[in-house]
């Protein structure tokens, strides 16, 4: 692989890895979001547990949809890099 393709390949792997985390380990993403919301939200989870319980299914679906999009983008970018490196040159 040429040296100018290392950075785009690393970016593609990072994006695809983040997509995998969001799709397959959505509980981890939701725990990180809950911890972040505790510090910056107008309605922290500790003060409004019913709000976070009511929106948990929606947030889980949003994380999974975003993960699928990131996974597809990362895989597509990696595919284009491999194709451009070995077949188009």
């Amino acid at each position: 692989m040429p040296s100018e393709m290392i950075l785009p390949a690393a970016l593609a792997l990072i994006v695809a890895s983040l997509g995998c985390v969001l799709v397959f380990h959505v509980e981890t993403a939701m725990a990180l979001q809950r911890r972040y919301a505790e510090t910056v939200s107008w309605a922290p989870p500790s003060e409004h547990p019913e709000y976070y319980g009511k929106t948990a299914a929606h947030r889980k679906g949003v994380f999974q949809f975003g993960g699928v999009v990131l996974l597809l983008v990362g895989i597509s970018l990696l595919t284009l890099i491999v194709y451009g490196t070995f077949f188009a040159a």
Side-chain angles (χ1 to χ4, degrees):
M1 180 177 291
S3 62
E4 63 267 3
M5 291 305 215
I6 292 175
L7 190 60
L11 177 67
L13 288 174
I14 289 170
V15 169
S17 299
L18 182 60
C20 283
V21 168
L22 289 176
V23 170
F24 300 114
H25 297 286
V26 73
E27 292 81 20
T28 304
M30 289 181 70
L32 287 173
Q33 187 262 344
R34 184 178 184 89
R35 190 169 60 185
Y36 182 73
E38 195 65 48
T39 60
V40 300
S41 178
W42 62 270
S46 60
E47 295 177 11
H48 299 88
E50 67 282 346
Y51 174 74
Y52 281 88
K54 187 170 57 173
T55 61
H58 175 70
R59 289 184 292 121
K60 183 176 181 179
V62 170
F63 277 125
Q64 287 177 332
F65 178 73
V68 168
V69 170
L70 288 175
L71 191 58
L72 290 175
V73 167
I75 289 172
S76 298
L77 184 58
L78 196 58
T79 303
L80 286 172
I81 290 169
V82 169
Y83 174 76
T85 301
F86 296 114
F87 299 112

